[in-house]
Amino acid sequence: MARRGPGAPGEQALLTALATGATWAEAAVAAGVSPRTVARRMRDPAFREQLNRVRGRSLAVTAAGLAGLADAVLARLTQLVSSANEPVALGACRTVLESMVRIHELAILETRLDALEARLAQGEQR
């Protein structure tokens, strides 16, 4: 009888495929399992938790790569904001302003989340 669950053949391929955006059908083919197996694994809380960890690691690697480009992106945007071509300058200004608003929103959300987590921690200590 074939082994099922964690450590089963194709498990890592299934996790990798799902973590990188494959549909369940595509992930099944990549892992050499049936679509029913994918559906069953996705109902397993431990598997979903493992999938979230794999996704998190993948996103961390991507974020690190993007962070390495930040200086070059800022330098280029600075150039474009001063462009003599008005549509280009306007687009760069819009990009900068939208990014500033989004960063501000994220900072507010982070502050609120920190406050909620602190309140939860205090409640757990009581």
Side-chain angles (χ1 to χ4, degrees), residues 115-126:
L116 285 171
E117 289 175 340
R119 286 178 61 190
L120 281 173
Q122 287 175 351
E124 291 173 359
Q125 292 175 359
R126 292 181 184 168

Side-chain angles (χ1 to χ4, degrees), residues 88-125:
V88 169
L90 178 61
C93 289
R94 183 179 301 117
T95 298
V96 169
L97 289 173
E98 288 171 354
S99 296
M100 289 172 55
V101 168
R102 185 69 181 133
I103 290 168
H104 178 70
E105 289 171 344
L106 289 172
I108 290 170
L109 286 174
E110 183 177 19
T111 300
R112 293 177 69 192
L113 181 59
D114 288 345
L116 285 171
E117 289 175 340
R119 286 178 61 190
L120 281 173
Q122 287 175 351
E124 291 173 359
Q125 292 175 359

Side-chain angles (χ1 to χ4, degrees), residues 25-115:
E26 293 165 342
V29 170
V33 298
S34 73
R36 287 181 58 189
T37 297
V38 177
R40 180 176 45 77
R41 297 301 289 133
M42 290 301 293
R43 287 190 303 270
D44 178 357
F47 179 83
R48 286 196 317 273
E49 184 177 316
Q50 188 177 7
L51 176 57
N52 286 335
R53 284 193 303 271
V54 171
R55 282 180 176 148
R57 286 191 300 267
S58 178
L59 287 173
V61 168
T62 301
L66 291 174
L69 295 173
D71 289 341
V73 169
L74 288 173
R76 185 67 176 137
L77 271 173
T78 300
Q79 292 172 345
L80 293 173
V81 164
S82 302
S83 174
N85 182 328
E86 287 298 317
V88 169
L90 178 61
C93 289
R94 183 179 301 117
T95 298
V96 169
L97 289 173
E98 288 171 354
S99 296
M100 289 172 55
V101 168
R102 185 69 181 133
I103 290 168
H104 178 70
E105 289 171 344
L106 289 172
I108 290 170
L109 286 174
E110 183 177 19
T111 300
R112 293 177 69 192
L113 181 59
D114 288 345

